[in-house]
Amino acid sequence: MPNIGDSRSLIVDPTHVTHREVPQRYYEAAGVGDNLIRLSIGLENVDDLIADLDQAIAGAYAA
């Protein structure tokens, strides 16, 4: 289980992690859907974080 309060950065899918026990109608009413990700930024070097996000986003949208 990911720890949202950790000092390390984390990307989670709220509908399957933090909201997994919440009925779907409630999280959808709050604007939380399957296409939402949550970034919890930790204490890592900012340049490393940016490079990691760039790599992850490029990989997610590669055809």
Side-chain angles (χ1 to χ4, degrees):
M1 174 71 179
N3 184 350
I4 302 297
D6 202 332
S7 63
R8 295 168 292 181
S9 295
L10 181 67
I11 298 176
V12 296
D13 168 6
T15 60
H16 295 100
V17 179
T18 57
H19 290 68
R20 72 181 180 281
E21 295 182 18
V22 175
Q24 183 176 359
R25 67 182 184 278
Y26 293 123
Y27 64 72
E28 285 181 348
V32 177
D34 288 334
N35 63 344
L36 181 75
I37 58 170
R38 177 181 177 166
L39 300 175
S40 181
I41 304 301
L43 301 175
E44 295 91 354
N45 177 282
V46 68
D47 294 325
D48 290 341
L49 290 170
I50 291 170
D52 289 345
L53 285 171
D54 283 343
Q55 179 182 352
I57 291 168
Y61 291 98

